[in-house]
């Protein structure tokens, strides 16, 4: 007599085959998912590095010595790298900075000329790039314009300007080096579970115009 359906043995064999197939395919699916996640994360990191490095390079390329502050007390130089930023300065040029002997540190200070209001001369803005190890962020800050009024009374010029802007988050380490007009910067991101599996570091350089006359 012809049987209908599966026997118990056939059913057991079929289930076993399904289980074996599932066990074989699951690691592959998981691996593909992790691979896709790494690709997506790397793409995000590459985009973030591209935007940030372009911003840094554009600012550094614009830097020049524009103001004569030789008579101003405790002038920290027009372009320099500092190893410590002790507090938010009320007056930029009277603040205390720690200078690294190798000109290497988490704080880059630059002066960037801007066209004055009468368009006949150049005023200045002063900018900071800062790696804040507490917040694990790379930050940027730009001053008010150092114009004719500030030059006439520099003691009352304060580094108020724009507040801090976060350029990158989850930064594990960042530092700058300034030597003979060349700024070298290094950024290492904290990528958590992807550490060691992604390109999360970048080192680049850019030439300033510090020694050029306007």
């Amino acid at each position: 007599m012809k049987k209908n359906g599966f026997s118990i043995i056939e059913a057991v064999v079929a289930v076993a085959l399904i289980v074996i197939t599932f066990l074989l395919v699951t690691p592959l699916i998981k691996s593909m998912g992790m691979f896709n996640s790494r690709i997506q994360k790397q793409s995000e990191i590459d985009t973030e590095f591209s935007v940030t490095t372009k911003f840094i390079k554009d600012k550094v390329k614009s830097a020049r010595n524009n103001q004569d502050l030789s008579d101003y007390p405790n002038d920290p130089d027009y372009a320099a790298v500092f190893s410590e930023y002790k507090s938010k300065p009320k007056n930029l040029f009277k603040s205390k900075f720690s200078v690294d002997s190798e000109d290497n540190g988490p704080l880059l200070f630059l002066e960037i000329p801007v066209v004055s209001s009468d368009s006949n001369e150049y005023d200045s803005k002063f900018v900071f790039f800062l790696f804040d190890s507490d917040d694990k962020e790379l930050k940027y800050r730009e001053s008010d314009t150092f114009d004719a009024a500030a030059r006439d009374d520099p003691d009352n010029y304060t580094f108020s300007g724009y507040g801090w802007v976060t350029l990158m988050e989850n930064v594990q380490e960042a530092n700058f080096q300034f030597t003979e007009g060349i700024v070298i910067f290094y950024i290492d991101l904290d990528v958590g579970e992807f550490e060691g599996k992604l390109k999360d570091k970048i080192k680049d350089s850019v030439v300033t115009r510090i020694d050029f006359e306007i």
Side-chain angles (χ1 to χ4, degrees):
M1 184 176 67
K2 187 177 180 180
K3 296 187 297 181
N4 293 322
F6 291 101
S7 68
I8 294 177
I9 295 177
E10 291 173 330
V12 170
V13 171
V15 171
L17 289 174
I18 292 173
V19 170
I20 292 171
T21 302
F22 177 79
L23 292 175
L24 291 174
V25 172
T26 298
L28 179 61
I29 295 175
K30 183 178 180 181
S31 177
M32 290 177 62
M34 292 177 63
F35 179 72
N36 289 334
S37 296
R38 287 201 297 269
I39 290 178
Q40 181 178 354
K41 185 67 175 179
Q42 186 67 69
S43 178
E44 292 173 359
I45 290 173
D46 291 343
T47 300
E48 193 171 10
F49 273 143
S50 177
V51 172
T52 302
T53 55
K54 183 181 185 305
F55 182 80
I56 293 174
K57 286 186 172 184
D58 287 346
K59 293 298 181 181
V60 172
K61 288 177 182 178
S62 301
R64 288 183 178 177
N65 291 349
N66 185 44
Q67 302 293 334
D68 181 10
L69 299 175
S70 57
D71 294 331
Y72 202 82
N74 301 322
D75 173 20
D77 297 328
Y78 289 103
V81 170
F82 300 97
S83 58
E84 187 178 358
Y85 182 34
K86 295 183 178 179
S87 62
K88 292 183 179 180
K90 293 182 179 179
N91 188 303
L92 176 64
F93 304 103
K94 286 185 177 179
S95 300
K96 296 179 180 178
F97 298 89
S98 297
V99 181
D100 186 86
S101 58
E102 297 181 356
D103 293 324
N104 187 51
L107 177 66
L108 174 66
F109 166 62
L110 298 168
E111 177 192 5
I112 298 179
V114 293
V115 178
S116 62
S117 56
D118 58 15
S119 300
N120 293 324
E121 297 180 354
Y122 283 87
D123 295 325
S124 295
K125 286 190 176 183
F126 302 99
V127 302
F128 277 136
F129 287 97
L130 169 68
F131 167 51
D132 188 331
S133 58
D134 292 331
D135 293 338
K136 299 183 68 174
E137 294 179 344
L138 181 63
K139 299 180 178 180
Y140 170 82
R141 191 180 187 187
E142 183 176 302
S143 77
D144 286 330
T145 303
F146 189 87
D147 54 15
R151 287 194 296 274
D152 292 340
D153 189 11
D155 286 331
N156 290 323
Y157 174 75
T158 58
F159 188 75
S160 52
Y162 304 93
W164 288 103
V165 176
T166 299
L167 298 179
M168 299 187 82
E169 297 179 331
N170 300 317
V171 179
Q172 184 168 306
E173 182 183 357
N175 61 65
F176 301 91
Q177 188 170 4
F178 178 72
T179 306
E180 297 180 351
I182 300 175
V183 172
I184 300 172
F185 57 93
Y186 169 79
I187 304 171
D188 179 6
L189 295 180
D190 181 357
V191 292
E193 62 179 310
F194 294 102
E195 194 68 42
K197 301 175 183 177
L198 301 176
K199 182 183 177 183
D200 60 346
K201 305 176 181 64
I202 189 169
K203 187 174 184 179
D204 210 335
S205 63
V206 56
V207 179
T208 73
R209 299 185 293 175
I210 297 300
D211 298 326
F212 292 2
E213 295 292 334
I214 293 180

